[in-house]
Amino acid sequence: MSVLFYNFCMYFAYTVFSFKKWKHATFHNLIAAWFTFIAFIGCYVVYSGDYQNIYGTILKFPMEPYIFAFIAFLIFIWPFRSISIHIDKASQIQILQNKQFEKFIRIILYILLLYAIVLFRSALFTLQFDGKEAYESLHAEGETLYQYSSIETFIIGISVNIYSLFAPVILLYSFWGLMSENCKKKRFYYLSIILILLITFLKNIASGARGGIFFFSITTLFMVLPFYRNFPSTVQKRMVSIALYIGAFFLLYVIGQTISRFGQGGAETPIGSILRYLGEPFPNLGNIYWEKVNVHPLGARMYPFIFQSGTAQNSAQSLADSHTLWEWITGVPILVYKTIYGDFYVEFGKWLAFVPILIYALYMKVFTLAKKVNLANVAILFYFLEIAATAPFFFQKRDFYNVRMLLFMAISYAVIMYILKRKK
């Protein structure tokens, strides 16, 4: 227990120092505070016994993995240190008054509205079933309960990539619009933001997930809070109201899903299950994973597209099958949380785990050298905020799709920067 407390103290001290230096809710400070909160919950669930209800009373917490994990945290958070939300008023007004860009945004929104309608049908169908059925259908059988038609599959196939690339652009564009004086299109900006949020909520409900909604909510907070003080007071109040409604719905949904999936008469209460869910990553790192991995896959688990089609990952029919196969290969459970460093530790080993974390940090640094959030780099920033939301738990952006999206974002960055330079 003392080791977990010292671990919490490292993150807490770093967060206090960061807030003293930058004094407000920057991207960097919010991420540091998020790691600190999860480290604190890790102490609490071991102290309260919620952790022991699932993982037994014989616990071992060596200090070494927590030092390594903290160093990895410093590497990961490094490119966020210098990012500013300073808004160039001239550029902001120029973009908001650009009719062609507004038409482009509206076309994207129409496509995403179709996407939302498909997801709404799927979510509405899924809500007729028990939450446990929806979750197990996707994770154990590899299929959602709702069977999409060929037209719906086509819409989803197009919209998924568009959403990943342009949802952050739409959010930033809407933020700038709400910040502008004498804003005449507030309803358009609010509806744009709500549509972006709604799509992710519907997508997770359709799959019976609770974690996806939770992590997206954290990502959205990372995105909104640094801008919050720049909004007019009326907009601030409206955004707080929207957040409260969404938060209440999310809480009810998560509690319902937890009761459905874990019941009320087992080793955990629903609230205890949620606390243990949040608090287990740091205890798991030392207790379950450290020096217990038989085989490090060296990329075959996280990046199976690099290897031949005969890998265990490609032979798995569902996510549950994949977890079972890699647990058999590595000798440790794959499903449970273990921090971003712990995930890379299982994959690459004690020292090589730092390499991919450093590569991702350098990648982000390249596209934020201007140290400002703009329409060119906001998609990449949002991508890394999504990683940050899950980083105290695991590494999210694995597999071919996510690596491909990084490439697309780099291309879109270059195109947007070229257009902006031509206009100047």
Side-chain angles (χ1 to χ4, degrees), residues 14 40 76 78 87 89 105 131 134 147 170 198 264 283 292 299 356:
Y14 182 86
F40 171 76
F76 172 74
W78 159 65
I87 299 168
K89 293 290 184 181
I105 291 293
Q147 298 299 307
I170 292 169
L198 184 64
Q264 301 186 54
K292 295 179 181 177

Side-chain angles (χ1 to χ4, degrees), residues 224-248:
V224 173
L225 291 179
F227 292 95
Y228 185 76
R229 60 184 183 148
N230 294 299
F231 292 118
S233 59
T234 54
V235 174
Q236 290 179 351
K237 292 176 182 178
R238 182 66 59 85
M239 295 188 80
V240 169
S241 298
I242 293 172
L244 288 175
Y245 282 119
I246 293 175

Side-chain angles (χ1 to χ4, degrees), residues 37 57 106 163 177 211 270 285 313 318 344 385 390 396 405 418:
F37 174 73
T57 56
R106 288 181 182 273
Y163 182 83
L285 175 62
Q313 182 83 359
S318 68
F344 282 116
L385 290 177
T390 60
Q396 178 194 36
M405 289 312 300
Y418 174 74

Side-chain angles (χ1 to χ4, degrees), residues 278-417:
L278 293 174
E280 71 173 40
F282 282 105
N284 284 346
L285 175 62
N287 184 52
I288 294 178
Y289 291 96
W290 195 248
E291 296 186 343
K292 295 179 181 177
V293 181
N294 295 332
V295 176
H296 297 286
L298 298 177
R301 176 178 67 99
M302 285 187 171
Y303 309 104
F305 58 91
I306 297 176
F307 300 87
Q308 295 180 354
S309 60
T311 61
Q313 182 83 359
N314 289 311
S315 63
Q317 299 299 312
S318 68
L319 190 59
D321 290 343
S322 174
H323 289 152
T324 301
L325 284 166
W326 284 114
E327 182 173 344
W328 176 73
I329 293 170
T330 62
V332 292
I334 297 299
L335 179 61
V336 297
Y337 294 142
K338 43 199 168 292
T339 75
I340 186 172
Y341 172 77
D343 222 352
F344 282 116
Y345 164 71
V346 171
E347 193 74 15
F348 297 103
K350 182 189 302 185
W351 296 103
L352 287 179
F354 291 111
V355 175
I357 296 174
L358 178 60
I359 290 173
Y360 279 102
L362 289 171
Y363 185 98
M364 180 183 169
K365 189 67 176 177
V366 166
F367 293 101
T368 55
L369 286 176
K371 301 182 180 180
K372 295 178 183 178
V373 182
N374 53 51
L375 290 175
N377 67 14
V378 68
I380 294 173
L381 172 64
F382 195 82
Y383 184 98
F384 281 89
L385 290 177
E386 288 182 308
I387 295 177
T390 60
F393 300 85
F394 66 107
F395 175 66
Q396 178 194 36
K397 298 293 188 178
R398 59 192 74 194
D399 69 40
F400 178 68
Y401 171 79
N402 287 296
V403 174
R404 185 185 65 184
M405 289 312 300
L406 264 184
L407 177 61
F408 285 168
M409 288 173 184
I411 294 171
S412 67
Y413 174 88
V415 171
I416 293 172
M417 291 300 296

